Amino acid sequence: MFKTLFFILLSLSSLNLWAEVTARWLTVASVLIDDGKTRILFDPAWTRPGVLHWLGVNQLKSDETLVKNVLFKNKLTRVDATFVSHSHFDHAIDAPMVSKLAKSIYYADEHNERLALAYKDPAIKMVRVKPYKKIKVGDFFVTPLPKEHSQILHLFDFLPGPVPKDTNLSFWDYCVGETWFYLIEHPLGNILIDQGAAPFLDRIPKSVVKVDALIQGVANRKNDEVVLEGYVKSFRPKIFIPIHFDNFFFEFSEGNEGLLPGVNLDEILLKLKQTYPSMSVNRPWYGNPIKILEAKR
Ligand SMILES: [Zn+2]
C-alpha cells in the first residue's frame, strides 16, 4: 500500500505538476531560463569594450572577476547550459567564462568555439550546435534555428564574416559568425527566444504550432510593425518579454545603463499591449524572475 502510494507520488513529482518556468533578464539579450531544476543561459555579455579595445591595443577578454560577481549575486554558481545567438561581443563575450565558472556546457557553433578556444582553458566545456538538432537539457529541449543578423540601422553589416581561426581575441575578431534563434520546449509549454526584432517565421519547423512565451529583441527594428506583425501575430503567445534595449556601450551596471539610443521601448510595449490585449507584456528588470510558464491547475 505505502509502496504504491510512494510510486504514485514519485511519478507525480516527476511530471512537474506544480512547477513553473521563469525568465530572468541579465543584460542586453542575456536571459536565464529556469524550471527550478535546470538553468539555461542565453547571450551572457557583461564585459564591455573600452577605447583601448576598439583601437586593438588590448585584447577583449571576458572579465573573470565581473562574471564571478554577476553569477554570485544572481545565485548562479551552477548553470547547466549556455547558448549564444551569434559571435558579436555583446552576445558572446562571457559565454566561455560562464562555462568555466558555473560548470556550464557551452553549446557553441564553430565561431563561438574559436573565441572560447583562444582562452586555452580546459575548464571550458563545449558541445557543437547544429541547425535544427534538438538538445536535451534537463526537461528542456532546445532547438537552434538558423537565421541572419540584421544590418545595423539597416545600413551596414557590423563585423560580418567568420571569426578568424587563430583569433587572439581582438575586438575586431568578434565577427558575427552564424546567427541563431532558439525554440525551447518544456513539459509546461514552448518558449521562443530571438535577440532580433525581424521575424524568421519560415525557419520555424511546421510542427511547432504554439509558442506560449516570446522573448524578443526590440533594438534596431526597422519599424514597430516588424515586431507587431511577426511572431506575436502568428503564435499569439501568452507573454511577451522585450530584450536588447539597454545601452551596452556603457559599463555594465545591473540594468541601470539606460536605453540604447533610438530604441523607444515604451512605444513598442504600448503598441503590443493595444494590439494584443490578452497578451501579458512584461518589461524585464535586471535579475528579477518573471513567471513565463506554469502548470495548469
Ligand atoms: Zn550582433
Side-chain angles (χ1 to χ4, degrees), residues 9 16-17 37 53 58 67 73 112 117 128 131-132 152 184 212 219 227 270 276 286:
L9 285 173
N16 263 330
L17 274 185
K37 290 195 292 190
H53 300 113
N58 288 352
V67 176
K73 278 189 165 180
N112 305 321
L117 288 172
R128 178 72 71 84
Y132 298 105
I152 308 300
I184 308 158
D212 302 285
V227 177
L270 184 65
Y276 303 99
Y286 173 76

Side-chain angles (χ1 to χ4, degrees), residues 21 42 45 75 86 103-104 112 129 143 232 263 278:
V21 174
F42 291 86
K75 300 189 173 64
H86 58 287
K103 298 181 178 55
S104 173
N112 305 321
V129 289
T143 309
V232 276
V263 75
S278 64

Side-chain angles (χ1 to χ4, degrees), residues 86 88 90-91 149:
H86 58 287
H88 284 155
D90 56 319
H91 295 266
H149 194 284

Side-chain angles (χ1 to χ4, degrees), residues 29 43 83-88 90-92 107-112 129-132 143-152 157-163 174-182 193-200 203 220 231 244:
D43 290 28
F83 294 84
V84 306
S85 56
H86 58 287
S87 297
H88 284 155
D90 56 319
H91 295 266
Y107 292 92
D109 64 23
E110 193 179 353
H111 307 273
N112 305 321
V129 289
K130 293 191 183 76
Y132 298 105
T143 309
L145 306 168
K147 58 170 271 192
E148 285 85 47
H149 194 284
S150 302
Q151 289 191 316
I152 308 300
D157 292 311
F158 178 65
L159 290 176
V163 170
Y174 285 81
C175 294
V176 67
E178 291 168 88
T179 306
W180 308 93
F181 64 124
Y182 294 93
I193 179 163
D194 189 338
Q195 48 76 35
F200 283 80
R203 310 295 170 84
N220 197 36
Y231 302 128
H244 209 332

